[in-house]
């Protein structure tokens, strides 16, 4: 598709980025990384969820950057697209809360550590497993820090 043809569907580059952002958030919503609603979440399930997130992100680094980093100067997702991101975060927050992670600081540590490992993998070992091998250990560190079984 040529650039002029794209603008038959989108009024601007930001609209294209917004559509790509929303598409990525929808794809993430389709991931089945959480157990049923109301069920307790185990450490093993937290490890599994971290792995699914990591694999989703490293499978498409450009999508990851658009969804989780501010790589496009001035781009801000539309309210509709950002609402999908909020749904993803709320779903994640609810799952880790069912595991016992309720302190907002622990939730921040979780997101920083898992996305940090993802960033390192994409930046320093694309296609490898150097940082992905640390996921289970990172989840265990977080669970131990939060006092989870």
């Amino acid at each position: 598709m040529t650039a002029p043809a794209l603008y038959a569907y989108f009024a601007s580059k930001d609209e294209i980025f917004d559509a790509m952002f929303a598409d990525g958030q929808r794809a993430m919503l389709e991931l089945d990384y959480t157990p049923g609603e109301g069920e307790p979440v185990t450490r093993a399930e937290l490890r599994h969820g971290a792995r699914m997130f990591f694999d989703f992100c490293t499978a498409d680094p450009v999508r990851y950057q658009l969804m989780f980093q501010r790589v496009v100067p001035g781009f801000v997702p539309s309210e509709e697209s950002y609402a999908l991101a909020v749904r993803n975060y709320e779903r994640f927050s609810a799952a880790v809360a069912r595991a016992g992670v309720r302190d907002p600081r622990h939730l921040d540590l979780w997101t920083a550590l898992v996305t940090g490992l993802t960033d390192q993998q994409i930046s320093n070992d694309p296609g490898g497993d150097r940082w992905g091998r640390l996921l289970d250990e990172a989840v265990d560190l977080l669970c131990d820090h939060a006092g989870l079984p």
Side-chain angles (χ1 to χ4, degrees):
M1 183 174 269
T2 64
L6 276 175
Y7 289 108
Y9 299 96
F10 302 100
S12 67
K13 284 183 185 177
D14 278 355
E15 279 191 20
I16 296 169
F17 292 133
D18 191 62
M20 293 167 54
F21 179 91
D23 185 58
Q25 295 295 340
R26 279 190 214 90
M28 190 173 214
L29 282 167
E30 291 175 11
L31 291 178
D32 186 20
Y33 67 88
T34 59
E37 294 300 314
E39 295 178 30
V41 176
T42 66
R43 188 178 287 217
E45 289 166 327
L46 290 173
R47 286 188 204 114
H48 176 72
R51 170 59 60 191
M52 288 189 78
F53 174 83
F54 182 90
D55 289 348
F56 174 82
C57 293
T58 58
D60 189 341
V62 174
R63 175 180 62 190
Y64 168 76
Q65 290 174 327
L66 183 62
M67 291 172 66
F68 299 106
Q69 299 175 335
R70 299 197 180 250
V71 294
V72 180
F75 169 67
V76 177
S78 66
E79 281 187 38
E80 297 82 16
S81 294
Y82 192 69
L84 296 168
V86 169
R87 278 182 50 205
N88 271 315
Y89 186 76
E90 288 172 345
R91 183 172 75 147
F92 160 74
S93 298
V96 296
R98 292 195 330 264
V101 177
R102 292 184 182 82
D103 185 329
R105 295 172 312 134
H106 295 157
L107 193 58
D108 288 347
L109 278 171
W110 179 282
T111 60
L113 191 54
V114 175
T115 58
L117 290 172
T118 302
D119 287 344
Q120 288 284 47
Q121 187 64 55
I122 289 169
S123 299
N124 298 310
D125 190 27
D129 68 347
R130 177 179 176 188
W131 304 98
R133 289 189 317 245
L134 300 174
L135 278 171
D136 286 351
E137 188 176 343
V139 170
D140 287 342
L141 285 168
L142 290 164
C143 288
D144 291 347
H145 178 72
L148 304 180

